[in-house]
Amino acid sequence: MAENVSPPPTPLARAERFIWLTARVLEQRLFEYHFLGGGADAVQTALAAYRNDDDGYGHALEPDLRGPVSQPLHVAHALKVLDRIGRCDGREVEQICRYLTRISTPQGALPALHPSLRGYPAAPWIPVADDPPSALLSTGPVVGVLHRNGVWHAWLFRATDFCWATVESLEETHPYEVEAAMAFLDGAPDRPRAAAAARRLGTLVRERGLVLLDPERAADVPVAPGYAPGEHHLAYDFAPSPDSLARRWFSDAEMDRSLDHLAALQGEDGGWPINWRAWAPGTALEGRPMVTLEALLTLRAYGHPLG
């Protein structure tokens, strides 16, 4: 008599177990929303726990910034969540824009870190300054998602000008700044201008070796200055969906190779690893479920089998 053998769990089932074992409530609700038919209300309620009275977001929503105070990078993360659940509109976003107006630099853009973070733990590679400059790292994703959702607010005018000027003049850059630039360009309303800027940026990325095109050669390719060992960026980091302008930077073979590599990174526990420097216990514990969700969404966007 044949023995009944259960089929091995699918990548999605393994990831689900990992999420229930390790994730914050927000990532659990996001997993439910994206893969189990959960509702947007539950995600929005979980996100509200990170909201502050100043209409910003804090409390380590972005795990590398600890402490309760609102920060631009937390707001960028919150808007990404609201965008994905179709709730990036209405009174809440109006209030967020008021917060952005209050903390903007003289250029009308956002600093990477607001000085209010001083005294709280934060990643050591992001210095806290009393008079911080404007940063594409925080401004680009915020402006891009607001434009993509048809939000219009007085704050957006100067912030959009900053993004265009910065993106179109980028020369010395690094992968995370390029990702922020693409987050802006993928949402910018002037599509021909965005496509032209993306073409120039794609050439820059390839010429400067900012993308690892062959994962099997990772040990032979240096990472960007200041990055952790192995902190490479692959095609899917710049083009997390086929709709991104950055998808045009890569051949089908290059993209498929990167997606196969992404799928193979799933660990025995069902989760994906972080590849940046884990400077505190919470950053790795909270970061892995976030990375796992991003990996699942990217693989699904490209039609990669999840089970």
Side-chain angles (χ1 to χ4, degrees), residues 131-182:
D131 187 20
S134 300
L136 186 63
L137 193 68
S138 50
T139 311
V142 168
V143 173
V145 75
L146 291 176
H147 278 310
R148 184 163 55 253
N149 285 274
V151 175
W152 283 103
H153 186 276
W155 176 79
L156 270 171
F157 289 98
R158 294 181 66 203
T160 301
D161 288 343
F162 166 80
C163 288
W164 279 124
T166 305
V167 169
E168 291 177 335
S169 63
L170 276 181
E171 290 295 338
E172 297 301 323
T173 185
H174 58 90
Y176 289 115
E177 188 173 48
V178 174
E179 289 180 22
M182 290 312 304

Side-chain angles (χ1 to χ4, degrees), residues 31-301:
F31 184 88
E32 286 181 324
Y33 176 83
H34 288 297
F35 297 100
L36 301 176
D41 287 347
V43 177
Q44 201 161 4
T45 298
L47 181 63
Y50 299 89
R51 188 79 178 265
N52 283 325
D53 290 340
D54 62 4
D55 295 321
Y57 289 81
H59 305 278
L61 177 57
E62 163 52 58
D64 276 332
L65 307 180
R66 316 305 291 184
V69 294
S70 297
Q71 289 292 313
L73 291 174
H74 292 320
V75 171
H77 189 92
L79 287 171
K80 184 177 182 178
V81 170
L82 293 171
D83 177 41
R84 282 183 167 171
I85 64 173
R87 296 289 177 86
C88 196
D89 56 12
R91 183 170 178 269
E92 184 172 6
V93 173
E94 173 72 23
Q95 291 171 332
I96 290 173
C97 287
R98 289 206 297 267
Y99 164 77
L100 298 174
T101 302
R102 289 195 301 272
I103 66 162
S104 288
T105 67
Q107 288 177 285
L110 300 173
L113 291 183
H114 189 268
S116 61
L117 191 64
R118 189 180 301 280
Y120 295 104
W125 56 85
I126 311 179
V128 180
D130 291 329
D131 187 20
S134 300
L136 186 63
L137 193 68
S138 50
T139 311
V142 168
V143 173
V145 75
L146 291 176
H147 278 310
R148 184 163 55 253
N149 285 274
V151 175
W152 283 103
H153 186 276
W155 176 79
L156 270 171
F157 289 98
R158 294 181 66 203
T160 301
D161 288 343
F162 166 80
C163 288
W164 279 124
T166 305
V167 169
E168 291 177 335
S169 63
L170 276 181
E171 290 295 338
E172 297 301 323
T173 185
H174 58 90
Y176 289 115
E177 188 173 48
V178 174
E179 289 180 22
M182 290 312 304
F184 165 68
L185 293 175
D186 281 338
D190 188 338
R191 301 314 297 155
R193 186 178 181 183
R199 282 194 298 272
R200 190 190 76 86
L201 199 54
T203 300
L204 183 69
V205 164
R206 295 182 71 102
E207 288 179 348
R208 301 290 173 86
L210 300 181
V211 57
L212 177 63
L213 294 173
D214 185 355
E216 293 186 0
R217 294 191 60 246
D220 303 326
V221 178
V223 299
Y227 283 29
E231 194 174 352
H232 294 288
H233 288 240
L234 283 85
Y236 57 76
D237 290 307
F238 299 107
S241 80
D243 297 332
S244 173
L245 289 170
R247 173 62 184 88
R248 304 173 190 177
W249 301 352
F250 310 108
S251 69
D252 290 346
E254 289 169 340
M255 182 57 69
D256 289 344
R257 191 159 55 232
S258 78
L259 292 170
D260 289 343
H261 174 74
L262 177 61
L265 287 175
Q266 187 176 22
E268 292 185 4
D269 61 3
W272 270 257
I274 64 170
N275 68 345
W276 62 88
R277 189 174 291 109
W279 60 275
T283 61
L285 292 172
E286 295 172 359
R288 286 195 66 208
M290 296 168 66
V291 169
T292 296
L293 274 171
E294 292 299 321
L296 292 171
L297 291 171
T298 296
L299 291 169
R300 185 173 71 177

